[in-house]
């Protein structure tokens, strides 16, 4: 018979290190696991076996009874001895994640183990225009690999107290990438076609904080080692041409268009078979972006034929051949070319015919081909060219005509059969070019009888599984030009926000936040969890379970004063500005205290009063204030009470909620109340009458609301299961999961939403859309040291209260 195990950690009970404790529902778990399980509500815990919410003693799991019967069944387990310095039970860390299970399932197998790759060296070869370094490494089986940087993340030297595992950090890095970037990565990693080098997956360098794409590095020779092929090597030339065409046709099946090729992209294995190197192809794309960006920075106006000639010269010198429509598209992206959209110049599968022809001519003719190509480009008359696309067509027309003369003068004998198809392939109109299968047949004719060629069936259909994209025009080539600067960029100090334009500082803050480039300052002084935050009068007010309220200066964030007097946990806090500005606090015993914020600050309240209690009472959970002079309290007895701020008299009691009223917000004459019953109720502030209810759920699917935020006509509710719901004008616009644990606090500022809770991270979402539709996009996140219990956004700064007694101020500078 198997010894009994804890359902959480799967360790056998032994009565010493793994102590079985019985919950009120009758199920058993070990003491250590019960201590670390998330506790969504005070003095309650969700049973890991039946998921029922049960009572949990405030003293901790040690106050629960041991399951003696389990230990008696296996008395031998109590006699298990541990090896010196070794514990059978490892500490369990409950680290929640912000991505979905589907996302995790898709990417987890594409992340290589941390010790699977060892970096060998940084190669210096390549273009000066390359925006990223080329790294080599080795896999565990001693296979040589190429590494290509695709993203960056916080390295091991980050100041965050929460340390993520390797896989989680890689998942977070992928999660924060744009969907278009991930789609391209997914396509590149999924390519398993003949003639294409293997891509093994993604690997993270924790030391430098870089995520790499890991690909096969072939040990054979490359096209760069050829000088030229003579007529006696016709068959060799034809076979290489066929294999390159086959490789590109296989890429087309995956929806991938290369856009350009270079001699360094084609590698050979030990058997002499030609392969297209995907990692090198992406590297070439980045070199092209570097050349185009360099030209755009030195050219103040759209290019003409002269500038186009300079770009072509630089590309040819690098051994890069690109179809005209792809080059035009790149120039359009850099605002260097005024080109109207026309199907004649659209990038398509025919765009790969041009670079294949040029690459094979380079292979056939060697260095003299590049030299004459550059000479012919320089020979085009561009004196009278202006900034029109017709001038560029003049350049290309002259270019292709002189290319034809090269073909006729240099090629003859057995190569005469391919002159015409190469001439057609260099046509500016991509729709008039032959397809790759025609080019393949042309090369095949050099080694096989024509009659046998047409017996071979070539499938021209493309896979519809993925969206088509061009490698050179894709996100993976473009992001690194910007990303490399971001990787090396140091975080600048924060400028004084006093003179910043309204809204601009917020954008900078969120941009820094999404990049992980923000600073923080810790405010310490509380002896227990922070429960609420408020700002006003040049102060930050913070309440805590330690029954005290601390006051901090907003200038240097130093501690100024402490309000003392509460006999129970302070659960809610608000600041009221007026002729006599005050701070109002509510505790779990029903006490409501009013404190003066005028100097000199006093330790005792101006006045205080208490709510009446009954058997179900659990104290005050929320406070709000209206300009009519009323303080509203949300209580554990399921009611909302309105109190006069002047004398503390009870004005009225609002009923309707079926559980604890956990959060209150006042805006535009309406009081919004959120409850553990999963609903939001709206009340009129003029007569305290009930207006409407939002979020009514069918029985059995109730999700407790833990926080509300209102900005303009947008209302956001956060739930204990990590969901948020967004209403506009009482109409539900969006419902989505943004965290995997309970969201304890939210803050809204314009289009930015900040959320925090059991995930121990502050997540930032961006609202977008119009009056008809609304979307919420994840922008970035800040890892925290503990459960986030309170959030407040104020003038470009984000304040967060934590369960570990600290308050953090996040900002994009000093």
């Amino acid at each position: 018979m198997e010894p009994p195990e804890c359902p959480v950690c799967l360790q056998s009970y032994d009565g010493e290190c793994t102590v079985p404790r019985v919950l009120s529902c009758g199920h058993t778990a070990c003491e250590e696991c019960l201590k670390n399980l998330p506790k969504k509500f005070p003095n309650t815990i969700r049973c890991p076996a039946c998921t029922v919410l049960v009572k949990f003693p405030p003293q901790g799991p040690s106050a629960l009874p041991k399951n003696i019967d389990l230990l008696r069944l296996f008395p031998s387990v109590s006699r298990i001895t541990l090896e010196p310095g070794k514990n059978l039970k490892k500490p369990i860390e409950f680290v929640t994640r912000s991505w979905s299970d589907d996302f995790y399932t898709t990417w987890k197998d594409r992340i290589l183990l941390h010790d699977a790759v060892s970096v060998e060296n940084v190669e210096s070869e390549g273009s000066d225009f390359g925006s990223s370094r080329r790294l080599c490494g080795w896999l565990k089986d001693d296979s040589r690999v190429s590494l290509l940087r695709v993203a960056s993340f916080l390295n091991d030297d980050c100041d965050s107290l929460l340390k993520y595992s390797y896989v989680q950090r890689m998942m977070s890095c992928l999660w924060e990438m744009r969907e278009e970037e991930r789609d391209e990565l997914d396509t590149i990693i999924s390519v398993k076609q003949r003639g294409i080098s293997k891509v093994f997956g993604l690997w993270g360098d924790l030391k430098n904080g870089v995520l790499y794409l890991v690909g096969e590095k072939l040990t054979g020779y490359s096209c760069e080692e050829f000088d030229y092929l003579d007529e006696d090597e016709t068959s060799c030339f034809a076979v290489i041409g066929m294999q390159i065409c086959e490789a590109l046709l296989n890429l087309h099946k995956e929806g991938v268009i290369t856009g350009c090729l270079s001699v360094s992209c084609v590698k050979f294995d030990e058997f002499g078979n030609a392969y297209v190197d995907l990692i090198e192809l992406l590297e070439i794309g980045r070199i092209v972006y570097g050349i185009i960006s360099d030209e755009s920075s030195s050219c103040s106006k759209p290019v003409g034929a002269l500038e186009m000639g300079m770009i072509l010269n630089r590309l040819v010198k690098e051994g890069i051949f690109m179809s005209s429509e792809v080059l035009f598209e790149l120039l359009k992206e850099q605002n260097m070319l005024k080109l109207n959209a026309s199907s004649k110049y659209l990038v398509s599968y025919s765009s790969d015919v041009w670079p294949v022809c040029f690459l094979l001519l380079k292979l056939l003719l060697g260095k003299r081909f590049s030299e004459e190509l550059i000479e012919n480009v320089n020979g085009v008359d561009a004196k009278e060219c202006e900034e029109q696309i017709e001038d560029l067509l003049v350049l290309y027309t002259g270019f292709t005509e002189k290319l034809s003369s090269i073909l006729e003068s240099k090629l003859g004998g057995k190569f005469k059969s391919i002159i015409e198809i190469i001439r057609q392939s260099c046509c500016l109109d991509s729709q008039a070019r032959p397809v790759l299968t025609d080019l393949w047949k042309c090369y095949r004719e050099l080694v096989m009888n024509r009659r046998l060629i047409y017996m071979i069936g070539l499938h021209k259909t493309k896979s519809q599984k993925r969206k088509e994209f061009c490698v050179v025009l894709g996100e993976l080539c473009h992001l690194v030009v910007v990303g490399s600067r971001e990787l090396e960029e140091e975080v600048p100090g924060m400028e004084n926000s006093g003179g910043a334009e309204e809204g601009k500082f917020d954008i900078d803050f969120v941009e820094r936040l999404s990049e992980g480039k923000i600073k923080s300052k810790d405010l310490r002084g509380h002896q227990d969890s922070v429960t609420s935050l408020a700002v006003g009068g040049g102060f930050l007010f913070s309440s805590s379970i330690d029954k005290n309220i601390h006051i901090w200066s907003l200038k240097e964030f130093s501690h100024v004063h402490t309000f003392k007097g509460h006999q129970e946990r302070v659960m809610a806090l608000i600041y009221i500005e007026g002729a006599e500005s005050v701070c109002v606090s509510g505790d779990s015993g029903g006490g409501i205290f009013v404190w003066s914020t005028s100097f000199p600050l006093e330790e005792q309240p101006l006045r205080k009063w208490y709510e009446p209690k009954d058997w179900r009472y659990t104290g005050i959970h929320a406070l709000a204030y209206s300009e009519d002079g009323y303080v509203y309290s949300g209580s554990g007895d399921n009611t909302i009470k309105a109190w006069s701020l002047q004398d503390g008299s009870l004005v009225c009691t609002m009923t309707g909620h079926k559980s604890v009223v956990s959060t209150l917000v006042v805006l535009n004459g309406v009081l919004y109340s959120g409850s553990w019953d999963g609903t939001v109720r709206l009340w009129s502030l003029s007569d305290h009458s009930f207006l409407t209810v939002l979020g009514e759920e069918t029985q059995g699917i109730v999700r407790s609301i833990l926080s509300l935020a209102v900005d303009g006509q947008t209302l956001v509710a956060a739930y204990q299961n990590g969901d948020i719901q967004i209403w506009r004008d009482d109409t539900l616009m969006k419902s989505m999961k943004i965290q995997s644990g309970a969201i304890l606090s939210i803050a809204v500022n314009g289009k930015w939403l900040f959320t925090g809770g059991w995930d121990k991270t502050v997540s930032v979402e961006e609202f977008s859309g119009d009056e008809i539709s609304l979307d919420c996009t994840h922008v970035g996140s800040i890892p925290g040291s503990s459960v986030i219990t309170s959030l407040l956004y104020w003038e470009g700064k984000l304040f967060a209260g934590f369960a570990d007694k600290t308050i953090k101020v996040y900002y994009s500078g000093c």
Side-chain angles (χ1 to χ4, degrees):
M1 186 174 178
E2 293 279 337
E5 297 176 339
C6 169
V8 180
C9 64
L10 304 180
Q11 298 289 333
S12 298
Y13 296 120
D14 59 12
E16 296 176 3
C17 293
T18 311
V19 182
R21 298 288 180 178
V22 183
L23 296 170
S24 60
C25 60
H27 293 103
T28 299
C30 75
E31 182 175 328
E32 188 67 25
C33 288
L34 292 176
K35 187 186 299 183
N36 287 287
L37 279 175
K39 301 168 185 63
K40 292 181 171 60
F41 311 115
N43 299 328
T44 60
I45 196 170
R46 196 168 293 281
C47 172
C50 65
T51 69
V52 171
L53 200 64
V54 296
K55 287 290 183 182
F56 191 73
Q59 301 89 341
S62 59
L64 291 169
K66 288 185 180 181
N67 194 330
I68 304 299
D69 292 334
L70 267 184
L71 295 177
R72 284 175 178 170
L73 285 175
F74 298 90
S76 60
V77 298
S78 62
R79 294 195 295 271
I80 295 176
T81 58
L82 300 177
E83 297 177 15
K86 183 178 180 181
N87 194 335
L88 284 178
K89 182 172 180 58
K90 296 181 179 179
I92 296 181
E93 297 181 1
F94 294 89
V95 182
T96 54
R97 57 178 196 259
S98 56
W99 51 83
S100 66
D101 291 336
D102 291 340
F103 181 86
Y104 181 77
T105 302
T106 300
W107 289 98
K108 65 182 179 66
D109 294 330
R110 299 181 179 184
I111 298 175
L112 303 179
L113 296 177
H114 180 230
D115 59 353
V117 178
S118 59
V119 177
E120 178 192 24
N121 68 299
V122 181
E123 295 185 358
S124 59
E125 62 186 3
S127 170
D128 293 336
F129 307 108
S131 56
S132 64
R133 301 177 299 175
R134 307 185 192 182
L135 274 75
C136 295
W138 299 88
L139 292 180
K140 274 186 174 180
D141 60 358
D142 293 333
S143 299
R144 201 177 181 197
V145 294
S146 296
L147 305 178
L148 185 77
R149 186 179 69 80
V150 294
S152 59
F153 53 87
L154 294 178
N155 58 30
D156 286 332
D157 297 330
C158 64
D159 296 330
S160 173
L161 297 178
L162 180 62
K163 301 295 182 182
Y164 292 98
S165 67
Y166 167 74
V167 173
Q168 186 168 6
R169 293 175 71 179
M170 297 308 102
M171 295 296 294
S172 298
C173 183
L174 286 167
W175 179 253
E176 292 178 2
M177 293 177 70
R178 293 195 297 119
E179 186 176 355
E180 294 83 0
E181 297 165 3
R182 291 199 300 264
D183 287 344
E184 287 189 18
L185 274 178
D186 177 46
T187 302
I188 294 296
I189 296 174
S190 300
V191 172
K192 308 293 181 187
Q193 295 285 352
R194 182 173 175 268
I196 309 297
S197 63
K198 297 177 184 176
V199 177
F200 299 110
L202 296 160
W203 175 74
D205 182 357
L206 295 180
K207 181 180 179 181
N208 298 308
V210 180
L211 181 65
Y212 290 105
L213 190 64
V214 182
E216 176 184 23
K217 190 172 185 66
L218 297 173
T219 56
Y221 54 93
S222 68
C223 270
E224 293 174 291
E225 300 179 32
F226 286 109
D227 186 14
Y228 66 93
L229 295 174
D230 55 34
E231 193 167 331
D232 295 333
E233 297 174 303
T234 304
S235 298
C236 177
F237 169 76
V239 170
I240 294 173
M242 287 169 52
Q243 290 179 341
I244 295 175
C245 290
E246 290 167 5
L248 296 187
L249 286 169
N250 284 330
L251 280 178
H252 291 178
K253 293 178 182 177
E254 301 292 336
V256 179
I257 303 168
T258 62
C260 78
L261 285 173
S262 77
V263 289
S264 62
C265 289
V266 180
K267 306 289 178 63
F268 297 87
D269 63 11
E270 60 269 28
F271 301 106
N273 297 312
Y275 284 78
V276 172
D277 191 330
L278 275 181
I279 300 296
E280 185 67 25
L281 185 60
L282 289 168
E283 183 69 43
I284 291 302
R286 296 176 179 185
I287 292 174
V288 170
Y289 265 100
I291 293 174
I292 300 298
S293 299
D294 187 56
E295 284 297 324
S296 64
S297 61
S298 62
C299 186
S300 60
K301 61 180 182 178
V303 300
L306 184 61
E307 292 81 8
M308 178 68 81
M310 294 172 60
I311 293 174
L312 288 176
N313 277 343
R314 297 175 76 175
L315 290 175
V316 173
K317 287 178 181 178
E318 293 291 327
I320 301 171
F321 305 103
M322 180 183 302
S323 61
S324 56
E325 60 271 18
V326 175
L327 181 57
F328 289 167
E329 194 66 33
L330 285 171
L331 293 173
K332 281 172 56 182
E333 289 182 8
Q334 297 291 336
N335 295 318
M336 296 177 64
L337 183 63
K338 296 180 180 179
L339 175 62
N340 295 325
S342 171
S343 59
K344 184 177 181 180
Y345 304 110
L346 289 180
V347 177
S348 64
Y349 291 109
S350 297
S351 300
D352 283 345
V353 176
W354 180 308
V356 169
C357 287
F358 275 72
L359 178 63
L360 292 172
L361 286 173
K362 165 71 175 176
L363 180 64
L364 188 63
L365 300 175
K367 292 181 180 178
R368 58 178 179 171
F369 174 72
S370 299
E371 293 170 356
E372 293 194 29
L373 209 57
I374 293 173
E375 183 181 345
N376 289 332
V377 171
N378 294 335
V380 175
D381 186 9
K383 293 181 179 178
E384 298 181 357
C385 291
E386 298 179 359
E387 301 173 3
Q388 304 298 323
I389 183 59
E390 289 78 9
D391 300 323
L392 304 181
L393 298 181
V394 169
L395 172 69
Y396 263 95
T397 302
F399 177 76
T400 53
E401 287 178 355
K402 293 184 179 181
L403 177 62
S404 299
S405 64
I406 294 177
L407 293 175
E408 293 174 357
S409 62
K410 304 296 182 182
L411 300 182
K414 296 181 181 180
F415 294 125
K416 287 184 178 180
S417 60
I418 66 171
I419 292 178
E420 185 58 34
I421 196 166
I422 290 179
R423 187 182 287 138
Q424 294 174 9
S425 299
C426 297
C427 177
L428 283 175
D429 185 356
S430 59
Q431 295 180 353
R433 295 175 195 157
V435 294
L436 270 177
T437 52
D438 295 331
L439 198 60
W440 179 90
K441 290 175 183 178
C442 178
Y443 294 124
R444 186 73 170 181
E445 287 182 4
L446 297 178
V447 293
M448 182 179 286
N449 186 281
R450 178 187 294 267
R451 210 158 39 89
L452 297 176
I453 293 174
Y454 290 94
M455 295 173 62
I456 301 172
L458 292 177
H459 299 286
K460 298 183 181 181
T461 58
K462 309 297 186 298
S463 172
Q464 298 300 319
K465 293 186 296 182
R466 294 185 177 88
K467 184 179 179 181
E468 298 173 0
F469 77 96
C470 177
V471 172
V472 179
L473 300 177
E475 299 293 333
L476 294 180
C477 286
H478 180 259
L479 68 86
V480 78
V481 175
V482 178
S484 59
R485 298 178 188 138
E486 293 175 348
L487 187 65
E488 299 169 359
E489 185 181 65
E490 295 183 358
V491 183
M494 184 180 76
E495 302 295 334
N496 190 338
S497 61
E501 297 179 9
E502 184 178 358
K504 181 178 179 180
F505 193 94
D506 294 346
I507 295 175
D508 292 342
F509 176 84
V510 174
E511 286 179 351
R512 294 290 185 189
L513 187 62
S514 65
E515 299 166 0
K517 296 180 178 179
I518 61 168
K519 295 183 178 181
S520 67
K521 183 177 180 63
D522 288 355
L523 309 183
R524 301 184 184 275
H526 283 294
Q527 302 303 311
D528 212 324
S529 300
V530 178
T531 56
S532 187
L533 298 170
V535 166
F539 300 116
L540 169 69
F541 301 86
S542 62
S543 62
S544 169
I545 293 178
D546 65 9
K547 307 174 186 178
N548 294 325
I549 300 166
H550 285 329
I551 307 172
W552 314 82
S553 169
L554 286 175
K555 291 184 179 179
E556 61 273 2
F557 301 116
S558 59
H559 182 263
V560 176
H561 189 70
T562 301
F563 289 146
K564 299 180 179 179
H566 282 283
Q567 300 301 312
E568 302 290 342
R569 297 172 296 175
V570 183
M571 304 302 295
L573 190 69
I574 57 173
Y575 175 82
I576 301 173
E577 187 173 3
E580 183 185 24
S581 297
V582 295
C583 173
V584 181
S585 56
D587 62 38
S588 59
I592 299 177
F593 288 37
V594 180
W595 312 85
S596 173
T597 60
S598 302
F599 277 97
L601 297 170
E602 302 290 340
E603 287 192 0
Q604 298 301 315
L606 290 175
R607 49 192 171 274
K608 59 183 177 180
W609 61 88
Y610 290 86
E611 284 191 321
K613 303 179 183 179
D614 60 15
W615 62 272
R616 61 184 174 176
Y617 191 75
T618 59
I620 293 174
H621 290 253
L623 289 173
Y625 175 75
S626 73
E627 294 181 354
D628 297 327
Y630 296 122
V631 173
Y632 299 92
S633 62
S635 305
D637 62 0
N638 309 346
T639 67
I640 304 160
K641 298 180 179 67
W643 310 85
S644 170
L645 180 61
Q646 295 299 322
D647 55 14
S649 59
L650 179 63
V651 178
C652 72
T653 300
M654 291 166 272
T655 60
H657 282 295
K658 299 177 183 178
S659 188
V660 173
V661 179
S662 56
T663 176
L664 296 171
V665 178
V666 168
L667 188 70
N668 298 330
V670 175
L671 171 66
Y672 300 83
S673 61
S675 169
W676 289 2
D677 64 12
T679 64
V680 179
R681 289 180 175 265
L682 279 64
W683 313 83
S684 170
L685 293 181
S686 59
D687 57 3
H688 299 135
S689 61
F690 171 69
L691 297 176
T692 187
V693 60
L694 307 176
E696 283 187 303
E697 306 279 357
T698 57
Q699 289 187 352
I701 327 177
V702 175
R703 301 172 299 169
S704 299
I705 294 177
L706 303 184
S707 183
L708 289 177
V710 182
D711 188 85
Q713 300 301 316
T714 303
L715 168 68
V716 184
Y719 295 83
Q720 55 86 20
N721 65 343
D723 287 357
I724 62 167
Q725 287 193 344
I726 307 169
W727 285 273
R728 277 185 180 170
D729 296 324
D730 306 336
T731 301
L732 180 63
M733 303 292 292
K734 192 79 174 179
S735 180
M736 60 185 296
K737 179 178 286 292
I738 61 173
Q739 294 196 13
S740 54
I743 301 175
L744 301 181
S745 183
I746 58 176
V748 176
N749 183 268
K751 66 176 182 176
W752 305 111
L753 169 67
F754 303 88
T755 65
W758 281 101
D759 275 4
K760 301 181 182 179
T761 60
V762 180
S763 295
V764 183
E765 321 297 322
E766 181 182 6
F767 295 143
S768 59
D770 49 31
E771 297 179 355
I772 300 176
S773 63
L774 181 141
D775 198 8
C776 185
T777 307
H778 178 68
V779 175
S781 60
I782 309 174
S785 57
S786 180
V787 173
I788 297 166
T789 55
S790 183
L791 286 174
L792 174 66
Y793 187 82
W794 176 80
E795 292 189 3
K797 299 179 179 65
L798 182 66
F799 302 89
F802 291 85
D804 65 358
K805 315 172 190 178
T806 63
I807 302 167
K808 285 185 180 288
V809 186
Y810 297 102
Y811 50 88
S812 60
C814 64

